[in-house]
Amino acid sequence: MLTNTGFAMIANAAVIILEIFGFRVSISERGKTIFAYYTQISNLITAASSVLFLASAAVMPREAAGAAGQSLQGFAASLRYLSTCMLIMTFLITLCVLVPMGGGFHRLMLSGNGLYHHTLCPVISVASYVLWEPHAAAVWLPVVVTMGYGFTMLYMNWKQRFDGPYPFLRVHNQSRRATVLWMVALVLLIAGLSLAVTRVAR
C-alpha cells in the first residue's frame, strides 16, 4: 500500500510531465517573453520544486538523514510551499479576474498551455502538497516574490518596455488610483493565501 510519500512522488512526477507539455506550448507561442508572465514563473518554480521534492524523497527518511539530507528536504518543502501559494494565486486570478474580463473560460482554463498551467498542474500540485507532503511555514516568501514580480512589471509598463501582460499592470491604460488599488488587493490576496496554506497544511 502506498504511503503519503509514495502518493506525493507519483503526483510530483505527473506534475513534471505536465509542466513539460505546458512549457512546450508556451515557448512555441511566446518564446522568451514567457518570463513576463506570473503564470509561467509560478509553474517554472513548480517544476523545479517537484524535481527537488523527488530528489529529497530519494534521500533517507528525515529521522535518519544527515545534515545535508535534512537541508535538502527543508529547502524542497519551502520551495513546494512557495509553489503552492503562487499556483493558487494563478488559478484564482485567472478564474476570477481574467476570465470575466473577456479571456474566456475554455481558452484560459481548458486549452493550450492554460490547460496545463492554469488547471491541471495547480490542482495536482496543490493537492499533493496539502495532503501528502512535508510542510513549510514561510509566509513572507510568496509575498516577497509576488511583490518583486509586480513592481518589476509595473516599472516595465511605465517605461513602455513591455505591455501587460495582465490588464491591471497596464499603468498607462488606467488611473494611478486603479493601479494602487490593484496592487494592494493582489498583495493582500497573496498574503491571505500564504496564511491559509500554512493553516490548512498543518
Side-chain angles (χ1 to χ4, degrees):
M1 185 175 180
L2 283 175
T3 63
N4 283 352
T5 300
F7 282 116
M9 291 180 72
I10 292 172
N12 277 272
V15 166
I16 292 169
I17 294 170
L18 292 170
E19 291 288 8
I20 291 172
F21 285 130
F23 277 111
R24 286 183 62 185
V25 177
S26 295
I27 293 171
S28 68
E29 292 178 349
R30 300 183 178 123
K32 63 183 179 181
T33 64
I34 63 170
F35 296 108
Y37 290 79
Y38 188 88
T39 292
Q40 307 303 314
I41 294 172
S42 64
N43 277 274
L44 185 61
I45 291 173
T46 297
S49 73
S50 290
V51 170
L52 196 60
F53 174 81
L54 291 180
S56 70
V59 176
M60 292 186 301
R62 183 178 295 271
E63 293 78 11
Q70 292 183 13
S71 177
L72 177 62
Q73 290 169 338
F75 183 66
S78 295
L79 202 61
R80 291 290 297 144
Y81 169 75
L82 172 63
S83 159
T84 297
C85 295
M86 293 182 70
L87 285 181
I88 297 174
M89 179 83 161
T90 293
F91 182 87
L92 290 178
I93 292 299
T94 302
L95 189 61
C96 301
V97 177
L98 300 181
V99 168
M101 290 181 81
F105 180 83
H106 185 272
R107 186 175 73 84
L108 291 180
M109 304 297 292
L110 300 177
S111 64
N113 78 294
L115 173 63
Y116 303 102
H117 290 164
H118 292 156
T119 304
L120 294 179
C121 289
V123 169
I124 297 172
S125 186
V126 170
S128 177
Y129 177 79
V130 171
L131 296 175
W132 302 313
E133 298 177 27
H135 300 142
V139 176
W140 57 271
L141 187 57
V143 177
V144 170
V145 172
T146 300
M147 288 180 65
Y149 166 82
F151 287 125
T152 298
M153 293 312 300
L154 284 176
Y155 177 79
M156 295 291 284
N157 275 262
W158 178 55
K159 287 292 188 177
Q160 297 184 326
R161 295 178 182 174
F162 200 89
D163 181 35
Y166 304 109
F168 43 79
L169 293 175
R170 294 187 170 101
V171 296
H172 296 295
N173 294 351
Q174 61 190 11
S175 66
R176 291 183 180 179
R177 181 182 179 184
T179 299
V180 171
L181 290 176
W182 269 115
M183 292 307 104
V184 170
L186 293 173
V187 169
L188 290 176
L189 177 58
I190 190 63
L193 290 174
S194 299
L195 287 169
V197 169
T198 300
R199 290 183 177 276
V200 170
R202 280 182 179 175

